[in-house]
Amino acid sequence: MPAFNRSAAVLSGCILAATLALTLLAGCSSTSKTQAAGAVTALIHIELTNDGCKASPAQVPAGPAKFSVRNNGGSAVSEAELVSGTKILGEKEGLTPGLTGTFSLDLAPGDYETYCPHAKTERSPFKVTGTASSARTAATGAAAALASTGEQYRQYVQGKAETLIASTTVFVSAVKAGDVVKAKSLYAAARAPYETIEPVAESFGDLDPDIDARDGDVPAAQWRGYHRIEKQLWVMGNTMGMAPVADQLLSDVNTLASKIKSTSFQPAELANGATELLNEVAKSKLTGEEERYSRTDISDIDANVEGSQAAFDLLAPAMKILDAGLTSQIQAKFSDLRTIMQKYSSGNGTYKPYTDLSDAHVKELSTAVNALAEPLSRVAEQIVAIN
C-alpha cells in the first residue's frame, strides 16, 4: 500500500538518528567493565551473524550488566535476546547489518541463553556466577526508592490484563454474533490494553505472536489473534469462520493474565520495557504496518506511549536522585509527545485513522518519539548500577 512506503521513507532518517544515538551510547565503554553510580557494571558484547549470537564474555559475575548488540552482517537475523527458560529478560530488535543497540539488566546467578531467531545456531549459553547483588547498595536513597517498583509495575500490568480480558470479551461477543459494525467499533479499544504491556507479553514466548501476529508474520495456517479478525472485518467485510479464532483469542488473553499474576519484575525491566514500547512505535506503528486494514495505528501509538510513561513514572523517584536533569528531560519529552498526539484525537478516547496523517504529520511524530527514546534509553544502565 502506498501509505506504507510513504511513511517508511519519511521515517528512515529519523530512525537512523535514533540508532546512531544508541550506537554512541554503546560505544562509551571499550573495556569489559564500566563504572557507574559507584558500582561495577559488566559490559557484554553480542555480535549478530547468520551463524549465531554468542556473548563475549559468556560468563560474568552477578550484578549490573550492559549488553551491547551489533549486527555484524547477519542478513537473516535482526534481534538478540537474553532468555531464562521461556522468559525474555532483555532484547534489542530491528538491528539490520551494521546497526548497534543496548539493553541493561541486574543479573542474578544462574544459567541463561542468548537467542537470535533464524540464525544457524539460535541459542548460545550464557552463565552468571556468584551471589545475588540486590543488597549491594540497599542503604542508598535511590535503591530504597526502587524497592517496591517491581511489585507496583506487576500490579499495573495485572490491571491492564484484566481490562484487556473485559474489552476483548465484548469484542469477541460482537464477532461471534456476526455484528461487523459493532466489532469494528470495538476493535481499537479491545487492543489498547495489550499495547500498553506489549513487552511483557513478548517475554512469554509464543503468546505474543498468538495474540498479535500480523499478516505474514507467521505461517498462514498458524495465524490467529486480533489481526486475523481485523483482516476479516475490514477486507472481507464479514465474520465468517471467525468464531473459533475469537474464542482462541480470548483464551490466549486469559492465559496472558494468568501468567502475569506469578511474574516478578526488576526495575531494569521497567526501564527496558519503556524504551521497547517507543521502539514499537517507530518500528511498526508510525510506518502504518501494524493496523494495515483497520488503520487504527494512532490508537496503538497512544497505548504504547501510555505504557512507556507508566513504567518510567515508577522509576522517576529513584531517577531524580540519580540524575535529576535526565529525569526532567524525559518528563518534558513525554509531555511534548502527548501534546502532539492530541492533534489527532477524535474525542472520547478515539483517534483519527492513520490515512489522515500527511508526510509532515508522520515526521513530526517521528521526531518527538526519537527525541524521547534517546534519553529514555539511558535509564536502564543507571538503574542496574545501584539496584
Side-chain angles (χ1 to χ4, degrees), residues 61-363:
K66 178 178 179 179
F67 292 79
S68 177
V69 186
R70 178 179 177 80
N71 189 326
N72 191 16
S75 58
V77 295
S78 62
E79 68 176 288
E81 303 170 356
L82 183 73
V83 298
S84 175
T86 60
K87 185 178 180 183
I88 302 170
L89 300 177
E91 64 180 335
K92 185 52 61 178
E93 300 178 295
L95 298 179
T96 54
L99 295 187
T100 301
T102 65
F103 63 90
S104 298
L105 291 166
D106 190 11
L107 296 174
D111 293 317
Y112 302 81
E113 291 179 309
T114 52
Y115 173 55
C116 42
H118 310 303
K120 184 178 180 180
T121 301
E122 292 187 327
R123 296 177 182 270
S124 298
F126 181 76
K127 189 174 183 65
V128 180
T129 61
T131 57
S133 59
S134 59
R136 185 177 59 249
T137 54
T140 68
L146 291 173
S148 62
T149 55
E151 174 57 20
Q152 288 175 322
Y153 186 63
R154 190 197 63 77
Q155 291 176 12
Y156 168 78
V157 172
Q158 185 172 332
K160 286 297 181 181
E162 291 169 357
T163 302
L164 178 65
I165 291 173
S167 62
T168 302
T169 297
V170 178
F171 172 65
V172 163
S173 295
V175 171
K176 294 178 69 175
D179 192 335
V180 174
V181 173
K182 185 175 182 180
K184 283 184 173 182
S185 71
L186 294 170
Y187 174 76
R191 283 179 43 73
Y194 184 85
E195 292 293 336
T196 64
I197 59 172
E198 191 167 7
V200 176
E202 289 177 343
S203 74
F204 297 124
D206 289 339
L207 262 181
D208 178 60
D210 287 346
I211 293 171
D212 200 38
R214 298 167 300 179
D215 197 355
D217 285 347
V218 296
Q222 299 174 22
W223 188 30
R224 66 198 209 207
Y226 289 110
H227 293 303
R228 175 66 188 90
I229 299 172
E230 176 202 11
K231 184 175 183 179
Q232 192 72 23
L233 289 171
W234 270 271
V235 177
M236 307 303 177
N238 58 52
T239 62
M240 291 179 58
M242 290 297 102
V245 178
D247 284 337
Q248 184 62 59
L249 172 61
L250 187 56
S251 175
D252 290 338
V253 164
N254 274 280
T255 298
L256 173 62
S258 177
K259 286 181 176 292
I260 286 169
K261 289 180 181 179
S262 59
T263 299
S264 59
F265 299 93
Q266 59 171 271
E269 289 181 282
L270 277 65
N272 289 328
T275 301
E276 285 303 314
L277 280 165
L278 291 186
N279 291 342
E280 282 287 331
V281 172
K283 184 175 65 176
S284 62
K285 273 70 171 189
L286 278 173
T287 59
E289 296 174 40
E290 183 77 9
E291 306 292 354
R292 59 189 70 172
Y293 307 114
S294 65
R295 316 314 295 148
T296 56
D297 304 85
I298 306 179
S299 175
D300 288 356
I301 293 171
D302 178 69
N304 284 159
V305 174
E306 177 192 331
S308 178
Q309 186 165 8
F312 178 74
D313 284 349
L314 291 174
L315 301 173
M319 282 302 300
K320 286 179 180 177
I321 297 172
L322 295 172
D323 193 331
L326 179 63
T327 304
S328 295
Q329 181 185 8
I330 292 170
Q331 290 171 330
K333 295 301 182 184
F334 267 119
S335 179
D336 291 344
L337 180 55
R338 285 293 194 183
T339 298
I340 292 172
M341 289 292 298
Q342 285 305 305
K343 295 181 181 181
Y344 311 110
S345 172
S346 298
N348 301 317
T350 62
Y351 285 88
K352 297 176 181 178
Y354 178 82
T355 46
D356 282 5
L357 269 64
S358 66
D359 289 353
H361 294 146
V362 173
K363 185 174 181 180

